[in-house]
Amino acid sequence: MSDISTEADVKTLVDSFYERVQQDALLAPIFLDFAHVDFSHHLPQLYDFWSGILLGTNRYRGFPMRKHFPLPISLAHFQQWLALFTAAVDAHFAGPTAELAKQQAVHIGRVFATRLGLLQPTIDGA
Ligand code: HEM
């Protein structure tokens, strides 16, 4: 299995993750019934977001946290989000950048969950 190294790889990862999300009993209702996400708009945002983190590109211009404040989500949603993201990485890729993707998902998930008041802030941000 190869590592994540091209834009096509980032797209494979994001598409694979969202296929899982759309079939998930906990997460699908948030994306589909609550937020009515337009995937033709959302997926390119996510390609740019993860391409920035994993390939060092600089296209993403959003403020992702803002989109999450209104969502009716708990820690269980974050745990499931992370489980599906990790499964999507492991289904397709192995190597240092694949590991970075999983680490960053944990890190950003923790920051979002803390800002939503679902986790206690810690002094080292960990
Ligand atoms: C409980 C977990 C999560 C749920 C249910 C969730 C759900 C959503 C929803 C509904 C949107 C709005 C899409 C739209 O209306 O266009 C969104 C946007 C987004 N999410 Fe999440 N999310 C979660 C966690 C995360 C995490 C941990 C990350 C990053 C690692 C992330 C990254 C993003 C990004 C980059 C956007 C796009 C913001 C933009 O349009 O600029 N999300 N998410």
Side-chain angles (χ1 to χ4, degrees), residues 21-124:
V21 165
Q22 290 183 68
Q23 289 163 16
D24 187 82
L26 188 62
L27 294 178
I30 305 290
F31 282 83
L32 303 176
D33 304 333
F34 183 86
H36 300 288
V37 172
D38 171 0
F39 284 93
S40 68
H41 171 77
H42 184 55
L43 290 178
Q45 298 290 316
L46 270 285
Y47 303 149
D48 288 352
F49 178 78
W50 282 108
S51 169
I53 292 172
L54 302 175
L55 305 180
T57 54
N58 191 21
R59 296 189 303 270
Y60 178 70
R61 291 284 176 272
F63 297 93
M65 189 59 224
R66 284 184 195 169
K67 297 251 172 168
H68 299 85
F69 280 119
L71 302 178
I73 51 181
S74 64
L75 268 191
H77 292 88
F78 276 97
Q79 286 161 351
Q80 188 64 3
W81 187 101
L82 194 60
L84 297 185
F85 188 84
T86 301
V89 174
D90 289 340
H92 298 278
F93 303 104
T97 307
E99 291 306 311
L100 177 69
K102 291 185 281 184
Q103 272 169 25
Q104 286 299 305
V106 173
H107 176 69
I108 300 167
R110 204 181 266 149
V111 170
F112 283 12
T114 304
R115 293 190 65 190
L116 286 168
L118 300 170
L119 283 177
Q120 291 295 318
T122 56
I123 187 133
D124 65 352

